[in-house]
Amino acid sequence: MSASALLPHTAPFGDDDRRSLDQVLGPASPVQRAWLAGFLAGIDASHGVALAPAQESRTAEPLAIVYASESGNAERLAQDAAKRARKSGFKPTLIDFADLAVADLARHKRLIVIAATWGEGEPPSRATRAYAELMSSTAPRLDGVTFGVLALGDSAYAEFCAVGKAIDTRLEALGATRAVDRVDCDLDFDAPADAWIKGTLDKIAPPRTQADNVVSVDFARTSADVSREPVTAEIVEHVNLNSSRSDKETIHLALGFDGTVPAYEPGDSLELFPENDPALVEAVLQATGLSAEDDLRKALTTERDVTTLSVKTLETYAATTGHSEARRLLEEGQARAWIEGRQLIDLVEGFPATLSREQLQALTRPLPPRAYSIASSRKETGDEAHLLVAAVRYASHGRQRAGVASTHVADRLKAGSSVRVRLKPNKHFRLPDGGTDIIMVGPGTGVAPFRGFVQERRAIGATGRSWLFFGDRRYTHDFLYQLEWQDALKDGALTCIDLAFSRDTPEKIYVQHRLFERRRDVIDWLENGAHFYLCGEAKAMAKDARAALVAAYADVKALSPDAAEAAVETLERDRRFLQDVY
């Protein structure tokens, strides 16, 4: 239906001529009123204004939607929840845990929390400060607050959804009233999360008014609007950046696109959809008596996770097969210890039983994509996107293991192969303006986004200085993109570089050691407005690098440990200390 068919003849309606719907439409039909309400909402949203329909705005109830996100999933769900909330008569406010003022939490009488768990029961890095405050004795009473918690996690970890569970318990302990039961979501979270959001909003929705006759249309575009559909890319380059004498294998992957190139920015990631090792799939089928099932073989190769083993998987297997040894592990509380370092193949071979195809599928979950930081800038590489993928190989319990996505890239892809990818924006890891100095700390594959940063700043003629801290095992064999960094130093795109190769010296030297060695210059840059970026392994490196920065502040500025910690927290709050860790 066209606008001219819906609207009666009126004078133009501009930003400086806001009149009520009655004044503009006169005797318009309900359908015409609904269309115009949505049309005006779209106009305002395109100018950065979130506008509820005119009648609804008088009764809209405030709703705070707080999210703690590491990879962006919780944030995307929070944005989806906000859109639905507006249509349900709420006036939603989105709050990143990084920005949450815990002391003011009591003023939000309706509260939804969507919280991810990172690693073994830890909050996302951006949420650490507010999470600690919420759990501390200084947290405010929340009497009169109604809340619901949606928890995201990975059942492969022992502390599944631990952060969401802790927040749910803590809010109740502070006096808040739980409106709906918490739901704990695994990696395949879309359907249960969608159902929880809908049910929660229905449960706590304000009383309906005559504004229900008005249709609200939200045209505001957020990162949640980025297409979730994967696209196919052709591998243009597949190069191992380590020497033949290295004990590592790091693949530079250049992807080309026949259609539209994902509209990525420096700092974004691409999710790569891998396939399982055919040999591993065959071993699982053989062990379960299903080797003749060709359709199942294809599904297990491309769609199902045949490596992850969790307590839930063990419980399902024991209930399905009745295997006495599997049941004993559960009954004696040994399940978590037994699954450590093991995979599904260990279960089906160690406790053999014949399964149906439905029973085997029930033991697996959807095969998730793996996210890799984009190692390029479109301003320099045009219609390509580059990734940096380190092959993961290790041994445990007498069996050789391999990372699903990384060895799919390293072993089974080559130039000319195709792979499915999907853009994953990361607005929390963006470059500042070109005149601002940046410090980048990225050992190993953590250097990937900084290659894109340097390319971008070269292309725009940035005047700010750039400083890279890079580390790996050996200078001769593991200096990733060595020639490019040397060229960047020559042309000024990179001001300086500090290196740490841990196996080249009797005592292992890492990037955090170099960071502290250069502490006076580092603090000088930061005191003069530089932004600090950290990318790489989260469990040890990221924590150690951050601790080195705190120690640098304490030493250079003669601060107490608490004051030095506060200085780094200020950088984090001001968005001048940004992390992308995994």
Side-chain angles (χ1 to χ4, degrees):
M1 183 178 293
S2 69
S4 59
L6 280 167
L7 287 173
H9 180 72
T10 65
F13 192 89
D15 289 339
D16 297 326
D17 188 22
R18 291 255 170 227
R19 289 167 284 178
S20 71
L21 291 178
D22 288 335
Q23 289 175 305
V24 176
L25 292 178
S29 70
V31 175
Q32 290 171 324
R33 292 171 179 273
W35 184 91
L36 185 61
F39 176 74
L40 294 177
I43 292 175
D44 285 320
S46 69
H47 289 82
V49 179
L51 182 69
Q55 289 175 301
E56 189 176 338
S57 64
R58 292 198 296 268
T59 59
E61 293 285 343
L63 171 66
I65 303 174
V66 181
Y67 60 90
S69 189
E70 185 71 54
S71 64
N73 293 326
E75 182 175 6
R76 177 169 65 85
L77 291 175
Q79 291 168 342
D80 290 342
K83 289 182 177 181
R84 284 196 172 186
R86 280 192 289 272
K87 297 175 183 179
S88 298
F90 289 104
K91 182 181 179 182
T93 301
L94 276 172
I95 306 174
D96 188 337
F97 236 85
D99 303 320
L100 178 64
V102 174
D104 297 335
L105 200 56
R107 69 183 179 85
H108 300 293
K109 298 306 178 184
R110 287 183 173 89
L111 175 66
I112 286 176
V113 178
I114 302 178
T117 296
W118 183 245
E120 290 294 353
E122 297 179 2
S125 58
R126 292 168 45 74
T128 301
R129 175 198 56 81
Y131 181 79
E133 289 181 13
L134 181 63
M135 298 299 163
S136 74
S137 60
T138 62
R141 293 290 302 171
L142 300 178
D143 303 283
V145 174
T146 300
F147 76 94
V149 175
L150 178 66
L152 304 185
D154 183 343
S155 60
Y157 290 89
E159 300 297 331
F160 176 57
C161 288
V163 171
K165 292 174 181 177
I167 292 174
D168 185 53
T169 300
R170 183 59 172 161
L171 293 177
E172 183 180 45
L174 292 172
T177 301
R178 184 183 293 103
V180 292
D181 290 336
R182 186 192 71 251
V183 166
D184 300 333
C185 297
D186 206 342
L187 296 185
D188 49 345
F189 60 83
D190 282 317
D194 185 71
W196 184 89
I197 290 170
K198 182 179 184 301
T200 300
L201 292 175
D202 289 344
K203 180 76 173 179
I204 65 175
R208 296 190 178 278
T209 69
Q210 60 179 343
D212 288 334
N213 294 325
V214 180
V215 178
S216 173
V217 180
D218 185 357
F219 290 87
R221 181 175 178 84
T222 69
S223 61
D225 296 312
V226 172
S227 174
R228 300 296 297 164
E229 292 300 317
V231 297
T232 300
E234 179 184 354
I235 297 176
V236 179
E237 290 182 339
H238 183 288
V239 181
N240 180 9
L241 298 183
N242 300 103
S243 83
S244 59
R245 295 170 58 191
S246 175
D247 52 5
K248 299 181 69 177
E249 188 176 359
T250 311
I251 305 300
H252 166 79
L253 205 62
L255 304 177
F257 300 85
D258 288 337
T260 302
V261 182
Y264 69 86
E265 297 181 40
D268 288 343
S269 297
L270 280 181
E271 291 181 314
L272 186 147
F273 289 77
E275 294 184 3
N276 287 304
D277 181 357
L280 178 60
V281 171
E282 194 62 39
V284 170
L285 290 171
Q286 290 285 347
T288 54
L290 293 166
S291 59
E293 299 280 351
D294 289 338
D295 289 346
L296 180 57
R297 179 179 288 101
K298 181 178 180 181
L300 293 182
T301 301
T302 62
E303 301 172 8
R304 309 299 294 180
D305 181 351
V306 298
T307 57
T308 300
L309 182 61
S310 65
V311 173
K312 180 181 177 182
T313 309
L314 183 57
E315 291 171 343
T316 301
Y317 190 78
T320 299
T321 65
H323 199 290
S324 59
E325 285 301 303
R327 293 174 61 181
R328 183 184 61 79
L329 287 174
L330 293 165
E331 291 167 357
E332 297 180 0
Q334 299 177 19
R336 290 198 186 280
W338 187 84
I339 66 175
E340 183 70 27
R342 288 186 168 92
Q343 297 176 333
L344 181 62
I345 187 63
D346 299 283
L347 176 65
V348 296
E349 286 189 349
F351 308 133
T354 300
L355 302 177
S356 69
R357 61 182 299 153
E358 291 76 20
Q359 289 171 333
L360 178 55
Q361 285 185 308
L363 292 175
T364 67
R365 58 184 181 178
L367 180 61
R370 270 53 166 188
Y372 293 96
S373 297
I374 299 175
S376 57
S377 164
R378 292 186 66 192
K379 290 182 174 65
E380 184 160 312
T381 60
D383 293 339
E384 293 183 5
H386 298 173
L387 302 180
L388 191 60
V389 181
V392 176
R393 308 181 199 275
Y394 62 100
S396 65
H397 298 288
R399 187 188 296 270
Q400 293 299 313
R401 317 282 179 174
V404 175
S406 65
T407 55
H408 175 61
V409 169
D411 298 344
R412 296 185 293 280
L413 295 181
K414 59 184 179 180
S417 300
S418 295
V419 65
R420 293 190 305 148
V421 295
R422 180 172 63 195
L423 178 62
K424 188 169 189 177
N426 186 357
K427 70 177 185 180
H428 302 298
F429 204 70
R430 291 280 187 253
L431 279 166
D433 65 80
T436 300
D437 296 340
I438 60 173
I439 300 171
M440 304 166 286
V441 181
T445 55
V447 81
F450 303 138
R451 181 174 182 261
F453 280 18
V454 170
Q455 288 182 357
E456 179 83 3
R457 283 165 70 92
R458 176 191 289 119
I460 66 173
T463 57
R465 297 173 296 176
S466 300
W467 187 353
L468 175 65
F469 287 84
F470 173 74
D472 214 308
R473 292 183 180 175
R474 296 178 176 85
Y475 179 97
T476 306
H477 308 302
D478 306 312
F479 194 168
L480 307 180
Y481 298 120
Q482 177 182 358
L483 296 180
E484 292 191 23
W485 301 129
Q486 291 172 343
D487 289 342
L489 287 169
K490 291 176 182 177
D491 65 29
L494 188 62
T495 308
C496 52
I497 186 170
D498 277 81
L499 304 171
F501 291 97
S502 60
R503 305 302 194 272
D504 283 347
T505 54
E507 183 178 352
K508 291 181 180 179
I509 301 296
Y510 297 109
V511 288
Q512 58 265 28
H513 299 122
R514 298 300 186 210
L515 188 63
F516 187 74
E517 287 174 3
R518 299 296 307 275
R519 57 191 178 278
R520 296 194 180 280
D521 288 333
V522 167
I523 299 304
D524 180 67
W525 280 43
L526 291 172
E527 290 289 285
N528 284 283
H531 286 215
F532 187 96
Y533 295 87
L534 179 61
C535 183
E537 186 270 330
K539 192 171 184 179
M541 185 282 298
K543 291 181 179 178
D544 290 343
R546 188 186 184 282
L549 186 60
V550 172
Y553 263 105
D555 183 74
V556 175
K557 305 293 289 184
L559 301 176
S560 68
D562 287 345
E565 172 65 28
V568 174
E569 288 180 356
T570 298
L571 290 177
E572 292 169 333
R573 284 196 299 272
D574 292 345
R575 302 291 195 271
R576 292 177 50 217
F577 183 124
L578 302 176
Q579 296 188 67
D580 182 11
V581 296
Y582 44 83

